[in-house]
Amino acid sequence: MKNSDKQISLEEAQAALTSLNTTKKNFENTYKPPLLFQISVAILMGLITLFTSFSSNNGPWTLILFVTTAVLLLVMASWFWVVRNQGVKLRFTPVSSKGRKLNYVLSIFVALIVVGAQLLYISGLTWVPYVAAFINASTMLYAFHKFPMGEWTKEEHSK
Amino acid sequence: MSTSSFDALIHAPNRLQICALLSSTASIEFKTVRNELDVSDSVLSKHIKLLENASYVILDKRLHAGRPRTWLSLSPKGLNAFNGHVNALREMVG
């Protein structure tokens, strides 16, 4: 079946979309962060959530929080540096509107968990930061697994 | 926001893949794109030249450790055209 306006057939359009999807998937698989990196970032995010609550009473926890945050930033920067040396400059923010929305939603969710855990910890619920740390670490791991390049990619299925 | 618009220049298989790779990143080095597409330097140069002439791709040549490296990135016009083309393909498929 030919589409007269576009001069390509339905099959050609489908094949182009499938090829596009394969190219993006192969690229993501080559340049997505390794599992060890993903787990490290998830653990660091969990620790930051935990230490933010603990640092509300000040003491040494504030310093530990700063050090953990610095380590997280260093780990992230090192990944950008490794990929750049392989010939790929990653984007700091997604280019698509869906990707940006996804980033905003995840950032707001993580921030709410951090703030909520801190408030509940101050009010006496000392177990909450541990649960919050687990939630934020799991969220980070899920985000890395599902959206390795930070983008919302649409799957093109063969019909 | 990009609308649906079929683009014959982008639709060629290699150029479609080049745009797909560049749309996911800030920029990619020439040799990385060549390796991903598994084509020769001359073939890739020809496609890049066409995309550059249409102002879809921006070339940035820099020296790194004394060696020239060419970085490719999609221009806003190129990104818009690519997204419009993909939308047009999706509309055709339904």
Side-chain angles (χ1 to χ4, degrees):
Chain A
M1 189 176 83
K2 278 270 181 191
N3 185 322
S4 56
D5 292 336
K6 322 290 190 198
Q7 297 298 314
I8 68 161
S9 67
L10 186 68
E11 290 75 24
E12 281 174 304
Q14 182 64 58
L17 285 173
T18 307
S19 140
L20 205 68
N21 202 36
T22 309
T23 305
K24 281 202 166 193
K25 281 276 171 222
N26 288 344
F27 187 73
E28 276 183 8
N29 287 337
T30 310
Y31 294 101
K32 76 176 179 187
L35 190 62
L36 184 67
F37 171 89
Q38 295 178 28
I39 291 170
S40 305
V41 170
I43 290 171
L44 285 166
M45 194 61 229
L47 289 176
I48 287 171
T49 308
L50 194 66
F51 298 155
T52 304
S53 297
F54 291 169
S55 68
S56 51
N57 293 334
N58 223 325
W61 290 111
T62 307
L63 178 66
I64 296 169
L65 173 65
F66 282 134
V67 172
T68 314
T69 308
V71 172
L72 176 68
L73 292 175
L74 269 175
V75 169
M76 297 286 279
S78 68
W79 174 245
F80 272 73
W81 184 78
V82 166
V83 176
R84 191 191 167 114
N85 271 352
Q86 292 174 352
V88 177
K89 283 185 199 169
L90 298 173
R91 286 181 190 277
F92 285 102
T93 52
V95 70
S96 69
S97 58
K98 273 191 174 179
R100 277 199 295 271
K101 273 181 201 162
L102 175 78
N103 261 23
Y104 291 143
V105 168
L106 280 176
S107 305
I108 290 167
F109 176 76
V110 167
L112 283 176
I113 293 286
V114 171
V115 173
Q118 191 178 27
L119 292 174
L120 290 171
Y121 178 76
I122 292 167
S123 67
L125 295 168
T126 53
W127 55 270
V128 172
Y130 296 99
V131 177
F134 179 74
I135 292 171
N136 272 355
S138 306
T139 305
M140 286 300 283
L141 209 54
Y142 174 79
F144 270 122
H145 176 71
K146 199 79 178 164
F147 316 106
M149 305 297 274
E151 274 292 350
W152 185 290
T153 47
K154 190 174 177 178
E155 293 273 349
E156 316 295 349
H157 300 288
S158 299
K159 290 188 176 174
Chain B
M1 185 157 170
S2 55
T3 51
S4 307
S5 164
F6 186 87
D7 194 313
L9 180 69
I10 291 178
H11 189 68
N14 280 333
R15 291 198 284 277
L16 190 63
Q17 288 186 53
I18 292 167
C19 290
L21 292 176
L22 295 179
S23 70
S24 315
T25 58
S27 56
I28 310 181
E29 206 187 339
F30 182 91
K31 68 172 185 183
T32 307
V33 178
R34 182 199 62 199
N35 295 343
E36 284 292 320
L37 266 60
D38 198 21
V39 294
S40 66
D41 281 3
S42 57
V43 168
L44 182 58
S45 292
K46 196 182 83 180
H47 290 302
I48 295 296
K49 193 75 197 163
L50 287 169
L51 291 169
E52 192 190 12
N53 288 343
S55 303
Y56 285 176
V57 165
I58 299 165
L59 267 69
D60 182 18
K61 292 178 183 180
R62 290 183 199 173
L63 279 178
H64 179 79
R67 288 183 176 183
R69 293 173 89 176
T70 305
W71 291 86
L72 313 171
S73 58
L74 266 190
S75 67
K77 185 184 173 187
L79 188 63
N80 220 27
F82 172 69
N83 287 336
H85 182 70
V86 174
N87 288 342
L89 290 175
R90 283 183 182 144
E91 278 179 11
M92 276 181 224
V93 171

